[in-house]
Amino acid sequence: MKILHIIRNPNDTTPFEMAKSQSVEHDVAILLLHDAVYLSPDFRAFACEADARARGVNLLEYVDYKGIVKMLFEYDKAVSW
């Protein structure tokens, strides 16, 4: 199963703990939105291009809005935090 965790709050550690535990058995990725783009997780992570550029973040793989929609359809399950 492919699971996408959509994270907006950089102060909440629960999504990362959940994603790491699920990655043992599943294909898991993280999509960072809003202020969460400041994070640089040691995990397969993507950042909303508009949010990252607006905040001057250049360290992550960017995804534009079309790419985000595509990801929502590619993954079997999406969890928004």
Side-chain angles (χ1 to χ4, degrees):
M1 175 181 286
K2 292 178 70 173
I3 303 171
L4 177 64
H5 288 270
I6 303 168
I7 301 173
R8 296 172 295 189
N9 182 353
N11 300 317
D12 188 0
T13 60
T14 304
F16 295 104
E17 294 167 7
M18 183 69 79
K20 281 188 180 189
S21 70
Q22 291 176 337
S23 68
V24 174
E25 296 182 22
H26 304 287
D27 180 9
V28 177
I30 293 174
L31 173 62
L32 303 172
L33 303 177
H34 308 298
D35 285 342
V37 298
Y38 287 118
L39 301 172
S40 52
D42 57 345
F43 208 83
R44 184 173 164 203
F46 303 90
C48 172
E49 182 177 24
D51 291 341
R53 293 205 188 277
R55 291 163 176 80
V57 175
N58 300 316
L59 302 174
L60 300 167
E61 185 175 342
Y62 295 133
V63 180
D64 62 8
Y65 292 122
K66 278 185 164 181
I68 291 171
V69 172
K70 184 178 176 185
M71 288 176 80
L72 291 171
F73 284 98
E74 286 178 357
Y75 285 81
D76 301 311
K77 181 178 182 180
V79 183
S80 181
W81 298 90

PDB file of all heavy atoms in Angstrom, residues 34-66:
ATOM      1  N   HIS A  34       2.641  24.624   3.812  1.00  0.00           N
ATOM      2  CA  HIS A  34       2.694  25.775   4.717  1.00  0.00           C
ATOM      3  C   HIS A  34       4.041  25.840   5.432  1.00  0.00           C
ATOM      4  O   HIS A  34       5.073  25.672   4.791  1.00  0.00           O
ATOM      5  CB  HIS A  34       1.512  25.758   5.693  1.00  0.00           C
ATOM      6  CG  HIS A  34       0.185  25.612   5.027  1.00  0.00           C
ATOM      7  ND1 HIS A  34      -0.311  26.526   4.136  1.00  0.00           N
ATOM      8  CD2 HIS A  34      -0.738  24.628   5.086  1.00  0.00           C
ATOM      9  CE1 HIS A  34      -1.489  26.140   3.681  1.00  0.00           C
ATOM     10  NE2 HIS A  34      -1.777  24.978   4.244  1.00  0.00           N
ATOM     11  N   ASP A  35       4.062  26.074   6.740  1.00  0.00           N
ATOM     12  CA  ASP A  35       5.327  26.207   7.470  1.00  0.00           C
ATOM     13  C   ASP A  35       6.080  24.894   7.641  1.00  0.00           C
ATOM     14  O   ASP A  35       7.249  24.891   8.030  1.00  0.00           O
ATOM     15  CB  ASP A  35       5.088  26.839   8.848  1.00  0.00           C
ATOM     16  CG  ASP A  35       4.819  28.334   8.764  1.00  0.00           C
ATOM     17  OD1 ASP A  35       5.148  28.935   7.716  1.00  0.00           O
ATOM     18  OD2 ASP A  35       4.294  28.901   9.731  1.00  0.00           O
ATOM     19  N   ALA A  36       5.471  23.783   7.341  1.00  0.00           N
ATOM     20  CA  ALA A  36       6.168  22.500   7.439  1.00  0.00           C
ATOM     21  C   ALA A  36       7.292  22.393   6.410  1.00  0.00           C
ATOM     22  O   ALA A  36       8.181  21.553   6.558  1.00  0.00           O
ATOM     23  CB  ALA A  36       5.184  21.345   7.277  1.00  0.00           C
ATOM     24  N   VAL A  37       7.305  23.266   5.387  1.00  0.00           N
ATOM     25  CA  VAL A  37       8.382  23.218   4.394  1.00  0.00           C
ATOM     26  C   VAL A  37       9.729  23.586   5.007  1.00  0.00           C
ATOM     27  O   VAL A  37      10.771  23.334   4.412  1.00  0.00           O
ATOM     28  CB  VAL A  37       8.092  24.112   3.162  1.00  0.00           C
ATOM     29  CG1 VAL A  37       6.840  23.650   2.440  1.00  0.00           C
ATOM     30  CG2 VAL A  37       8.010  25.575   3.544  1.00  0.00           C
ATOM     31  N   TYR A  38       9.732  24.164   6.207  1.00  0.00           N
ATOM     32  CA  TYR A  38      10.984  24.480   6.893  1.00  0.00           C
ATOM     33  C   TYR A  38      11.682  23.216   7.394  1.00  0.00           C
ATOM     34  O   TYR A  38      12.871  23.238   7.695  1.00  0.00           O
ATOM     35  CB  TYR A  38      10.744  25.415   8.078  1.00  0.00           C
ATOM     36  CG  TYR A  38      10.423  26.837   7.683  1.00  0.00           C
ATOM     37  CD1 TYR A  38       9.207  27.407   8.024  1.00  0.00           C
ATOM     38  CD2 TYR A  38      11.334  27.616   6.978  1.00  0.00           C
ATOM     39  CE1 TYR A  38       8.904  28.709   7.679  1.00  0.00           C
ATOM     40  CE2 TYR A  38      11.039  28.919   6.619  1.00  0.00           C
ATOM     41  CZ  TYR A  38       9.821  29.455   6.982  1.00  0.00           C
ATOM     42  OH  TYR A  38       9.529  30.744   6.632  1.00  0.00           O
ATOM     43  N   LEU A  39      10.948  22.134   7.507  1.00  0.00           N
ATOM     44  CA  LEU A  39      11.522  20.886   8.004  1.00  0.00           C
ATOM     45  C   LEU A  39      12.367  20.216   6.925  1.00  0.00           C
ATOM     46  O   LEU A  39      12.118  20.393   5.740  1.00  0.00           O
ATOM     47  CB  LEU A  39      10.401  19.930   8.429  1.00  0.00           C
ATOM     48  CG  LEU A  39       9.461  20.434   9.507  1.00  0.00           C
ATOM     49  CD1 LEU A  39       8.300  19.472   9.670  1.00  0.00           C
ATOM     50  CD2 LEU A  39      10.212  20.585  10.812  1.00  0.00           C
ATOM     51  N   SER A  40      13.338  19.447   7.356  1.00  0.00           N
ATOM     52  CA  SER A  40      14.103  18.635   6.409  1.00  0.00           C
ATOM     53  C   SER A  40      14.190  17.223   6.975  1.00  0.00           C
ATOM     54  O   SER A  40      15.197  16.826   7.550  1.00  0.00           O
ATOM     55  CB  SER A  40      15.483  19.224   6.160  1.00  0.00           C
ATOM     56  OG  SER A  40      16.147  19.461   7.367  1.00  0.00           O
ATOM     57  N   PRO A  41      13.105  16.488   6.844  1.00  0.00           N
ATOM     58  CA  PRO A  41      13.047  15.147   7.430  1.00  0.00           C
ATOM     59  C   PRO A  41      13.993  14.178   6.741  1.00  0.00           C
ATOM     60  O   PRO A  41      14.319  14.331   5.571  1.00  0.00           O
ATOM     61  CB  PRO A  41      11.594  14.728   7.218  1.00  0.00           C
ATOM     62  CG  PRO A  41      11.127  15.541   6.076  1.00  0.00           C
ATOM     63  CD  PRO A  41      11.899  16.826   6.116  1.00  0.00           C
ATOM     64  N   ASP A  42      14.447  13.201   7.501  1.00  0.00           N
ATOM     65  CA  ASP A  42      15.294  12.146   6.938  1.00  0.00           C
ATOM     66  C   ASP A  42      14.390  11.041   6.376  1.00  0.00           C
ATOM     67  O   ASP A  42      14.441   9.899   6.775  1.00  0.00           O
ATOM     68  CB  ASP A  42      16.245  11.590   7.987  1.00  0.00           C
ATOM     69  CG  ASP A  42      15.528  11.042   9.201  1.00  0.00           C
ATOM     70  OD1 ASP A  42      14.332  11.337   9.383  1.00  0.00           O
ATOM     71  OD2 ASP A  42      16.162  10.301   9.971  1.00  0.00           O
ATOM     72  N   PHE A  43      13.560  11.455   5.466  1.00  0.00           N
ATOM     73  CA  PHE A  43      12.494  10.614   4.953  1.00  0.00           C
ATOM     74  C   PHE A  43      12.200  11.063   3.536  1.00  0.00           C
ATOM     75  O   PHE A  43      12.577  12.162   3.139  1.00  0.00           O
ATOM     76  CB  PHE A  43      11.254  10.821   5.838  1.00  0.00           C
ATOM     77  CG  PHE A  43      10.344   9.649   5.886  1.00  0.00           C
ATOM     78  CD1 PHE A  43      10.599   8.602   6.749  1.00  0.00           C
ATOM     79  CD2 PHE A  43       9.233   9.588   5.092  1.00  0.00           C
ATOM     80  CE1 PHE A  43       9.763   7.514   6.805  1.00  0.00           C
ATOM     81  CE2 PHE A  43       8.383   8.505   5.132  1.00  0.00           C
ATOM     82  CZ  PHE A  43       8.649   7.461   5.995  1.00  0.00           C
ATOM     83  N   ARG A  44      11.513  10.245   2.778  1.00  0.00           N
ATOM     84  CA  ARG A  44      11.111  10.630   1.420  1.00  0.00           C
ATOM     85  C   ARG A  44      10.086  11.752   1.525  1.00  0.00           C
ATOM     86  O   ARG A  44       8.924  11.526   1.848  1.00  0.00           O
ATOM     87  CB  ARG A  44      10.524   9.418   0.726  1.00  0.00           C
ATOM     88  CG  ARG A  44      10.170   9.645  -0.697  1.00  0.00           C
ATOM     89  CD  ARG A  44       9.756   8.327  -1.312  1.00  0.00           C
ATOM     90  NE  ARG A  44       9.068   8.568  -2.551  1.00  0.00           N
ATOM     91  CZ  ARG A  44       8.239   7.720  -3.084  1.00  0.00           C
ATOM     92  NH1 ARG A  44       7.986   6.574  -2.509  1.00  0.00           N
ATOM     93  NH2 ARG A  44       7.645   8.007  -4.220  1.00  0.00           N
ATOM     94  N   ALA A  45      10.534  12.991   1.252  1.00  0.00           N
ATOM     95  CA  ALA A  45       9.667  14.146   1.463  1.00  0.00           C
ATOM     96  C   ALA A  45       9.636  15.040   0.225  1.00  0.00           C
ATOM     97  O   ALA A  45      10.628  15.194  -0.479  1.00  0.00           O
ATOM     98  CB  ALA A  45      10.134  14.941   2.665  1.00  0.00           C
ATOM     99  N   PHE A  46       8.478  15.615   0.019  1.00  0.00           N
ATOM    100  CA  PHE A  46       8.254  16.574  -1.056  1.00  0.00           C
ATOM    101  C   PHE A  46       7.686  17.834  -0.419  1.00  0.00           C
ATOM    102  O   PHE A  46       7.023  17.773   0.601  1.00  0.00           O
ATOM    103  CB  PHE A  46       7.237  16.029  -2.066  1.00  0.00           C
ATOM    104  CG  PHE A  46       7.631  14.713  -2.650  1.00  0.00           C
ATOM    105  CD1 PHE A  46       7.244  13.526  -2.041  1.00  0.00           C
ATOM    106  CD2 PHE A  46       8.386  14.656  -3.802  1.00  0.00           C
ATOM    107  CE1 PHE A  46       7.601  12.297  -2.575  1.00  0.00           C
ATOM    108  CE2 PHE A  46       8.753  13.423  -4.347  1.00  0.00           C
ATOM    109  CZ  PHE A  46       8.367  12.257  -3.721  1.00  0.00           C
ATOM    110  N   ALA A  47       7.950  18.983  -1.043  1.00  0.00           N
ATOM    111  CA  ALA A  47       7.435  20.248  -0.529  1.00  0.00           C
ATOM    112  C   ALA A  47       6.598  20.932  -1.600  1.00  0.00           C
ATOM    113  O   ALA A  47       6.942  20.898  -2.788  1.00  0.00           O
ATOM    114  CB  ALA A  47       8.578  21.161  -0.109  1.00  0.00           C
ATOM    115  N   CYS A  48       5.515  21.549  -1.169  1.00  0.00           N
ATOM    116  CA  CYS A  48       4.703  22.353  -2.070  1.00  0.00           C
ATOM    117  C   CYS A  48       5.590  23.486  -2.588  1.00  0.00           C
ATOM    118  O   CYS A  48       6.145  24.264  -1.808  1.00  0.00           O
ATOM    119  CB  CYS A  48       3.487  22.904  -1.337  1.00  0.00           C
ATOM    120  SG  CYS A  48       2.542  24.086  -2.310  1.00  0.00           S
ATOM    121  N   GLU A  49       5.751  23.566  -3.883  1.00  0.00           N
ATOM    122  CA  GLU A  49       6.652  24.538  -4.488  1.00  0.00           C
ATOM    123  C   GLU A  49       6.297  25.977  -4.097  1.00  0.00           C
ATOM    124  O   GLU A  49       7.178  26.750  -3.715  1.00  0.00           O
ATOM    125  CB  GLU A  49       6.645  24.402  -6.007  1.00  0.00           C
ATOM    126  CG  GLU A  49       7.588  25.346  -6.698  1.00  0.00           C
ATOM    127  CD  GLU A  49       7.610  25.153  -8.196  1.00  0.00           C
ATOM    128  OE1 GLU A  49       6.630  24.643  -8.767  1.00  0.00           O
ATOM    129  OE2 GLU A  49       8.627  25.516  -8.795  1.00  0.00           O
ATOM    130  N   ALA A  50       5.032  26.328  -4.166  1.00  0.00           N
ATOM    131  CA  ALA A  50       4.617  27.699  -3.849  1.00  0.00           C
ATOM    132  C   ALA A  50       4.928  28.047  -2.393  1.00  0.00           C
ATOM    133  O   ALA A  50       5.426  29.142  -2.103  1.00  0.00           O
ATOM    134  CB  ALA A  50       3.129  27.878  -4.135  1.00  0.00           C
ATOM    135  N   ASP A  51       4.668  27.121  -1.479  1.00  0.00           N
ATOM    136  CA  ASP A  51       4.936  27.374  -0.057  1.00  0.00           C
ATOM    137  C   ASP A  51       6.432  27.481   0.207  1.00  0.00           C
ATOM    138  O   ASP A  51       6.880  28.346   0.969  1.00  0.00           O
ATOM    139  CB  ASP A  51       4.330  26.263   0.811  1.00  0.00           C
ATOM    140  CG  ASP A  51       2.815  26.278   0.818  1.00  0.00           C
ATOM    141  OD1 ASP A  51       2.216  27.322   0.471  1.00  0.00           O
ATOM    142  OD2 ASP A  51       2.218  25.248   1.168  1.00  0.00           O
ATOM    143  N   ALA A  52       7.214  26.613  -0.399  1.00  0.00           N
ATOM    144  CA  ALA A  52       8.663  26.620  -0.180  1.00  0.00           C
ATOM    145  C   ALA A  52       9.298  27.890  -0.746  1.00  0.00           C
ATOM    146  O   ALA A  52      10.115  28.532  -0.085  1.00  0.00           O
ATOM    147  CB  ALA A  52       9.294  25.383  -0.800  1.00  0.00           C
ATOM    148  N   ARG A  53       8.917  28.253  -1.943  1.00  0.00           N
ATOM    149  CA  ARG A  53       9.486  29.464  -2.562  1.00  0.00           C
ATOM    150  C   ARG A  53       9.078  30.722  -1.797  1.00  0.00           C
ATOM    151  O   ARG A  53       9.878  31.641  -1.642  1.00  0.00           O
ATOM    152  CB  ARG A  53       9.082  29.545  -4.017  1.00  0.00           C
ATOM    153  CG  ARG A  53       9.708  28.440  -4.846  1.00  0.00           C
ATOM    154  CD  ARG A  53       9.822  28.816  -6.305  1.00  0.00           C
ATOM    155  NE  ARG A  53      10.236  27.703  -7.112  1.00  0.00           N
ATOM    156  CZ  ARG A  53      11.493  27.310  -7.289  1.00  0.00           C
ATOM    157  NH1 ARG A  53      12.453  27.951  -6.671  1.00  0.00           N
ATOM    158  NH2 ARG A  53      11.785  26.292  -8.074  1.00  0.00           N
ATOM    159  N   ALA A  54       7.844  30.764  -1.317  1.00  0.00           N
ATOM    160  CA  ALA A  54       7.381  31.927  -0.557  1.00  0.00           C
ATOM    161  C   ALA A  54       8.165  32.094   0.739  1.00  0.00           C
ATOM    162  O   ALA A  54       8.309  33.198   1.248  1.00  0.00           O
ATOM    163  CB  ALA A  54       5.890  31.798  -0.244  1.00  0.00           C
ATOM    164  N   ARG A  55       8.712  30.981   1.257  1.00  0.00           N
ATOM    165  CA  ARG A  55       9.459  31.010   2.514  1.00  0.00           C
ATOM    166  C   ARG A  55      10.970  30.931   2.300  1.00  0.00           C
ATOM    167  O   ARG A  55      11.733  30.854   3.247  1.00  0.00           O
ATOM    168  CB  ARG A  55       8.974  29.875   3.413  1.00  0.00           C
ATOM    169  CG  ARG A  55       7.554  30.115   3.904  1.00  0.00           C
ATOM    170  CD  ARG A  55       6.925  28.841   4.443  1.00  0.00           C
ATOM    171  NE  ARG A  55       5.602  29.078   4.999  1.00  0.00           N
ATOM    172  CZ  ARG A  55       4.492  29.196   4.298  1.00  0.00           C
ATOM    173  NH1 ARG A  55       4.531  29.114   2.980  1.00  0.00           N
ATOM    174  NH2 ARG A  55       3.330  29.396   4.886  1.00  0.00           N
ATOM    175  N   GLY A  56      11.403  30.928   1.059  1.00  0.00           N
ATOM    176  CA  GLY A  56      12.831  30.901   0.752  1.00  0.00           C
ATOM    177  C   GLY A  56      13.511  29.571   1.049  1.00  0.00           C
ATOM    178  O   GLY A  56      14.706  29.538   1.311  1.00  0.00           O
ATOM    179  N   VAL A  57      12.768  28.482   0.988  1.00  0.00           N
ATOM    180  CA  VAL A  57      13.317  27.149   1.270  1.00  0.00           C
ATOM    181  C   VAL A  57      13.748  26.504  -0.043  1.00  0.00           C
ATOM    182  O   VAL A  57      12.966  26.431  -0.985  1.00  0.00           O
ATOM    183  CB  VAL A  57      12.270  26.271   1.992  1.00  0.00           C
ATOM    184  CG1 VAL A  57      12.784  24.861   2.179  1.00  0.00           C
ATOM    185  CG2 VAL A  57      11.892  26.898   3.318  1.00  0.00           C
ATOM    186  N   ASN A  58      14.988  26.010  -0.085  1.00  0.00           N
ATOM    187  CA  ASN A  58      15.514  25.433  -1.319  1.00  0.00           C
ATOM    188  C   ASN A  58      16.055  24.025  -1.146  1.00  0.00           C
ATOM    189  O   ASN A  58      16.754  23.534  -2.011  1.00  0.00           O
ATOM    190  CB  ASN A  58      16.651  26.308  -1.857  1.00  0.00           C
ATOM    191  CG  ASN A  58      16.192  27.704  -2.167  1.00  0.00           C
ATOM    192  OD1 ASN A  58      15.146  27.895  -2.743  1.00  0.00           O
ATOM    193  ND2 ASN A  58      16.978  28.681  -1.777  1.00  0.00           N
ATOM    194  N   LEU A  59      15.764  23.365  -0.042  1.00  0.00           N
ATOM    195  CA  LEU A  59      16.426  22.106   0.272  1.00  0.00           C
ATOM    196  C   LEU A  59      15.671  20.846  -0.118  1.00  0.00           C
ATOM    197  O   LEU A  59      16.230  19.756  -0.052  1.00  0.00           O
ATOM    198  CB  LEU A  59      16.711  22.050   1.784  1.00  0.00           C
ATOM    199  CG  LEU A  59      17.557  23.188   2.330  1.00  0.00           C
ATOM    200  CD1 LEU A  59      17.632  23.095   3.844  1.00  0.00           C
ATOM    201  CD2 LEU A  59      18.935  23.154   1.713  1.00  0.00           C
ATOM    202  N   LEU A  60      14.419  20.950  -0.503  1.00  0.00           N
ATOM    203  CA  LEU A  60      13.593  19.773  -0.730  1.00  0.00           C
ATOM    204  C   LEU A  60      13.209  19.628  -2.196  1.00  0.00           C
ATOM    205  O   LEU A  60      13.371  20.546  -2.988  1.00  0.00           O
ATOM    206  CB  LEU A  60      12.321  19.861   0.120  1.00  0.00           C
ATOM    207  CG  LEU A  60      12.535  19.946   1.624  1.00  0.00           C
ATOM    208  CD1 LEU A  60      11.248  20.334   2.308  1.00  0.00           C
ATOM    209  CD2 LEU A  60      13.042  18.618   2.153  1.00  0.00           C
ATOM    210  N   GLU A  61      12.668  18.474  -2.533  1.00  0.00           N
ATOM    211  CA  GLU A  61      12.126  18.263  -3.866  1.00  0.00           C
ATOM    212  C   GLU A  61      10.764  18.950  -3.938  1.00  0.00           C
ATOM    213  O   GLU A  61       9.899  18.715  -3.107  1.00  0.00           O
ATOM    214  CB  GLU A  61      11.975  16.765  -4.131  1.00  0.00           C
ATOM    215  CG  GLU A  61      11.520  16.463  -5.531  1.00  0.00           C
ATOM    216  CD  GLU A  61      11.493  14.978  -5.835  1.00  0.00           C
ATOM    217  OE1 GLU A  61      12.134  14.205  -5.113  1.00  0.00           O
ATOM    218  OE2 GLU A  61      10.816  14.610  -6.808  1.00  0.00           O
ATOM    219  N   TYR A  62      10.589  19.807  -4.925  1.00  0.00           N
ATOM    220  CA  TYR A  62       9.360  20.575  -5.055  1.00  0.00           C
ATOM    221  C   TYR A  62       8.295  19.820  -5.842  1.00  0.00           C
ATOM    222  O   TYR A  62       8.606  19.061  -6.752  1.00  0.00           O
ATOM    223  CB  TYR A  62       9.602  21.889  -5.794  1.00  0.00           C
ATOM    224  CG  TYR A  62      10.494  22.856  -5.077  1.00  0.00           C
ATOM    225  CD1 TYR A  62      11.524  23.490  -5.745  1.00  0.00           C
ATOM    226  CD2 TYR A  62      10.300  23.153  -3.747  1.00  0.00           C
ATOM    227  CE1 TYR A  62      12.339  24.398  -5.111  1.00  0.00           C
ATOM    228  CE2 TYR A  62      11.103  24.054  -3.101  1.00  0.00           C
ATOM    229  CZ  TYR A  62      12.126  24.679  -3.787  1.00  0.00           C
ATOM    230  OH  TYR A  62      12.929  25.566  -3.150  1.00  0.00           O
ATOM    231  N   VAL A  63       7.047  20.115  -5.505  1.00  0.00           N
ATOM    232  CA  VAL A  63       5.900  19.607  -6.252  1.00  0.00           C
ATOM    233  C   VAL A  63       4.960  20.793  -6.453  1.00  0.00           C
ATOM    234  O   VAL A  63       4.599  21.468  -5.489  1.00  0.00           O
ATOM    235  CB  VAL A  63       5.169  18.489  -5.464  1.00  0.00           C
ATOM    236  CG1 VAL A  63       3.990  17.976  -6.243  1.00  0.00           C
ATOM    237  CG2 VAL A  63       6.118  17.363  -5.118  1.00  0.00           C
ATOM    238  N   ASP A  64       4.566  21.043  -7.696  1.00  0.00           N
ATOM    239  CA  ASP A  64       3.608  22.117  -7.947  1.00  0.00           C
ATOM    240  C   ASP A  64       2.195  21.610  -7.676  1.00  0.00           C
ATOM    241  O   ASP A  64       1.997  20.455  -7.309  1.00  0.00           O
ATOM    242  CB  ASP A  64       3.757  22.667  -9.362  1.00  0.00           C
ATOM    243  CG  ASP A  64       3.487  21.641 -10.450  1.00  0.00           C
ATOM    244  OD1 ASP A  64       3.028  20.518 -10.134  1.00  0.00           O
ATOM    245  OD2 ASP A  64       3.734  21.957 -11.626  1.00  0.00           O
ATOM    246  N   TYR A  65       1.217  22.476  -7.845  1.00  0.00           N
ATOM    247  CA  TYR A  65      -0.160  22.097  -7.519  1.00  0.00           C
ATOM    248  C   TYR A  65      -0.653  20.915  -8.360  1.00  0.00           C
ATOM    249  O   TYR A  65      -1.337  20.026  -7.857  1.00  0.00           O
ATOM    250  CB  TYR A  65      -1.107  23.292  -7.655  1.00  0.00           C
ATOM    251  CG  TYR A  65      -0.856  24.358  -6.617  1.00  0.00           C
ATOM    252  CD1 TYR A  65      -0.548  25.664  -6.987  1.00  0.00           C
ATOM    253  CD2 TYR A  65      -0.928  24.066  -5.259  1.00  0.00           C
ATOM    254  CE1 TYR A  65      -0.310  26.644  -6.023  1.00  0.00           C
ATOM    255  CE2 TYR A  65      -0.687  25.031  -4.297  1.00  0.00           C
ATOM    256  CZ  TYR A  65      -0.379  26.317  -4.693  1.00  0.00           C
ATOM    257  OH  TYR A  65      -0.141  27.281  -3.734  1.00  0.00           O
ATOM    258  N   LYS A  66      -0.292  20.885  -9.633  1.00  0.00           N
ATOM    259  CA  LYS A  66      -0.677  19.748 -10.475  1.00  0.00           C
ATOM    260  C   LYS A  66      -0.038  18.461  -9.953  1.00  0.00           C
ATOM    261  O   LYS A  66      -0.660  17.403  -9.948  1.00  0.00           O
ATOM    262  CB  LYS A  66      -0.237  19.977 -11.918  1.00  0.00           C
ATOM    263  CG  LYS A  66      -1.152  20.831 -12.719  1.00  0.00           C
ATOM    264  CD  LYS A  66      -0.653  20.879 -14.155  1.00  0.00           C
ATOM    265  CE  LYS A  66      -1.723  21.392 -15.058  1.00  0.00           C
ATOM    266  NZ  LYS A  66      -1.294  21.429 -16.463  1.00  0.00           N
TER     267      LYS A  66
END
